Amino acid sequence: MTQPPPTPPEYPGPTGRPDQPGAAQVPHQAPPYLQNPQNPQYAQYPQYPQQTAPGASPYVPPQATPAPPQYPTGPTAPQPAYPQAAAPPPYPHAPAPPPYPQAAAPSYPQAAVPPPPGSPLHPHHINTDRGRVHVAGQQRRTDAAAFGNLLLHLPNFLCSLVVVTLVSLLLGDFGILLILAWLASGALVFHRPTESALARHLLRLRYPTPQERATLEPVWREVTARAGVDGRTYELWVEDSDSLNAVAAAGHIVGVTRFAMNNLPNGELAAVMAHELGHHVGGHAWSGLLGYWYALPGRIAWRLLRAVTGFLFQVSRAFSCIGVAFFGVCVGGLALATITSLYGLPLLVLGMPYALAAVGRRSELRADRHAAALGFAPMLAAVLDKLHQQEQLRTAALTAAGQGAPVPETAASRLLSSHPDYHTRLHHLQQYLQPTR
């Protein structure tokens, strides 16, 4: 039979409760056997912390804390030797792949930047330093184009003569003086003051400045030296225009635009001036102006006749169909009487614009041949190419501006053109562009 554990002896506590007022506080004393750790009964009872006073923290008897073991430190301290894992055996590595040849980057030829037009390195730059100049004995001639121009202007001249004669009848006895004065007025084409007035007011040209003259005169001297022409016979003029163009007029006028003077190499400028010199040498300039001058009275009379006819037609419309029919009969009868009395000459006048345009195209080709014969064929071909590009840019600008697509060129417009097209002119220059064997 199991015996219950011995009841711990009761030892006297405080005589009163500490929570009651007036209770006396007696310090607690442990029995003697509990105060001696050597007593056998000391180990049978648990040790509780004792309080010496109410609310005081438990008392823990101080015990000696064993110092932690001191391990040797420093560089001389022995390190524990751990077994090292054996390194794995080396595996054979795959051989390195053979180096493949790198594809070389393709080298494209760099586009050569052309030198500026005034640079001596430009392919169309020419040397204008020349000493003695050989002047040919024949300075001018009348080629087939000039002679054909004069011949085709003959009907216009006769019509103008009729108009001047009709006007002279109003003057009575002094009418013959008017006819003679008109016939002699053709000599003004070669009169220098008249040419200057014509260049200023009709062609809108001006004299070049000293800087412009320093640019033009060496080139003109080279051109005339190659042609054997006295360059002092002609006058150089400038047109304030941003287009590539030149003009040969009257008997002594050679004009170039400001764009051609400032933006073309001197070789291409020489080709342009040689072309205009070809018009003078061949007689195209003076024959064209002379024919235009003698045809002017007839042109003025034709324009007045058209204006009066248009006014009468508008008046006849007010009288309905009867007035229009009467107007048609009157005009038709007058035209028939004029044609029969002049032996059909007015009918030739209607076809003159097409014939004159054909002669003008022939004179342009002859002037191109004159410039090419002087050694300016490559330069002239380059100028023609620039003219063609300029025309294409002008057409594209008109289209982009909203003015509609350009009107396609018809057969009638080609027949009335005074200049051949780009491909025709370039075709006639091929014989001068091919290298000589």
Side-chain angles (χ1 to χ4, degrees):
M1 184 173 182
T2 306
Q3 295 182 358
T7 305
E10 297 180 0
Y11 46 89
T15 58
R17 297 178 60 183
D19 56 350
Q20 293 182 356
Q25 299 295 330
V26 180
H28 173 75
Q29 297 290 332
Y33 61 86
L34 291 179
Q35 297 180 1
N36 186 9
Q38 302 296 330
N39 196 327
Q41 296 180 355
Y42 182 85
Q44 296 181 2
Y45 299 95
Q47 301 296 320
Y48 299 97
Q50 302 295 326
Q51 294 182 356
T52 57
S57 61
Y59 172 76
V60 179
Q63 296 182 0
T65 304
Q70 301 293 328
Y71 296 96
T73 59
T76 58
Q79 300 294 332
Y82 297 99
Q84 299 292 333
Y91 292 96
H93 295 283
Y100 293 97
Q102 298 292 333
S107 58
Y108 298 99
Q110 299 292 332
V113 179
S119 174
L121 301 178
H122 197 280
H124 291 163
H125 181 83
I126 60 174
N127 184 15
T128 57
D129 297 335
R130 182 176 293 271
R132 299 179 60 184
V133 176
H134 172 71
V135 178
Q138 184 181 4
Q139 295 286 296
R140 296 174 183 264
R141 64 180 183 273
T142 303
D143 59 13
F147 183 77
N149 193 12
L150 291 175
L151 184 62
L152 289 175
H153 273 100
L154 182 60
N156 295 331
F157 168 77
L158 295 178
C159 291
S160 298
L161 181 59
V162 171
V163 172
V164 174
T165 303
L166 293 176
V167 174
S168 65
L169 295 177
L170 302 176
L171 300 178
D173 297 336
F174 295 96
I176 189 64
L177 298 179
L178 177 63
I179 297 175
L180 295 177
W182 176 71
L183 292 175
S185 63
L188 296 176
V189 173
F190 302 96
H191 186 236
R192 293 298 182 96
T194 305
E195 287 185 351
S196 299
L198 176 68
R200 288 191 182 94
H201 302 291
L202 185 61
L203 302 178
R204 303 297 180 184
L205 302 178
R206 62 171 175 82
Y207 282 117
T209 63
Q211 294 79 8
E212 294 171 343
R213 188 173 295 277
T215 302
L216 294 175
E217 285 186 348
V219 178
W220 179 246
R221 185 169 58 249
E222 174 66 21
V223 171
T224 54
R226 293 190 184 190
V229 174
D230 186 6
R232 296 171 297 179
T233 306
Y234 302 93
E235 292 184 359
L236 300 177
W237 294 74
V238 176
E239 179 185 357
D240 290 322
S241 175
D242 293 332
S243 62
L244 178 55
N245 199 5
V247 62
H252 309 91
I253 294 176
V254 175
V256 296
T257 60
R258 185 181 62 245
F259 177 87
M261 179 179 56
N262 296 331
N263 295 275
L264 293 181
N266 65 345
E268 296 180 8
L269 180 61
V272 172
M273 302 178 80
H275 174 89
E276 304 305 328
L277 180 62
H279 284 307
H280 279 297
V281 171
H284 311 150
W286 67 264
S287 64
L289 183 58
L290 193 64
Y292 176 82
W293 174 255
Y294 281 121
L296 192 58
R299 293 176 184 270
I300 296 175
W302 174 249
R303 291 180 181 179
L304 290 176
L305 183 61
R306 288 180 57 185
V308 172
T309 305
F311 175 75
L312 293 177
F313 178 74
Q314 295 297 330
V315 172
S316 65
R317 292 181 61 184
F319 297 95
S320 69
C321 298
I322 299 176
V324 174
F326 178 76
F327 175 78
V329 171
C330 292
V331 172
L334 182 61
L336 182 60
T338 304
I339 292 173
T340 55
S341 61
L342 297 177
Y343 304 99
L345 186 61
L347 294 179
L348 295 177
V349 176
L350 297 178
M352 283 301 104
Y354 297 95
L356 290 174
V359 173
R361 292 192 296 269
R362 178 57 57 181
S363 65
E364 292 294 330
L365 295 177
R366 286 182 176 270
D368 287 347
R369 187 171 63 184
H370 178 268
L374 297 181
F376 300 112
M379 297 79 164
L380 185 59
V383 173
L384 294 178
D385 185 64
K386 292 178 180 179
L387 282 171
H388 183 61
Q389 294 179 1
Q390 192 178 73
E391 185 64 28
Q392 289 180 336
L393 291 177
R394 186 184 298 109
T395 303
L398 292 177
T399 304
Q403 299 184 9
V407 179
E409 189 178 12
T410 61
S413 62
R414 288 195 297 268
L415 291 176
L416 288 174
S417 177
S418 61
H419 285 67
D421 59 276
Y422 163 73
H423 301 285
T424 302
R425 298 180 71 174
L426 199 62
H427 172 72
H428 284 80
L429 285 177
Q430 290 301 318
Q431 57 179 333
Y432 298 98
L433 295 174
Q434 295 175 357
T436 58
R437 297 179 180 178

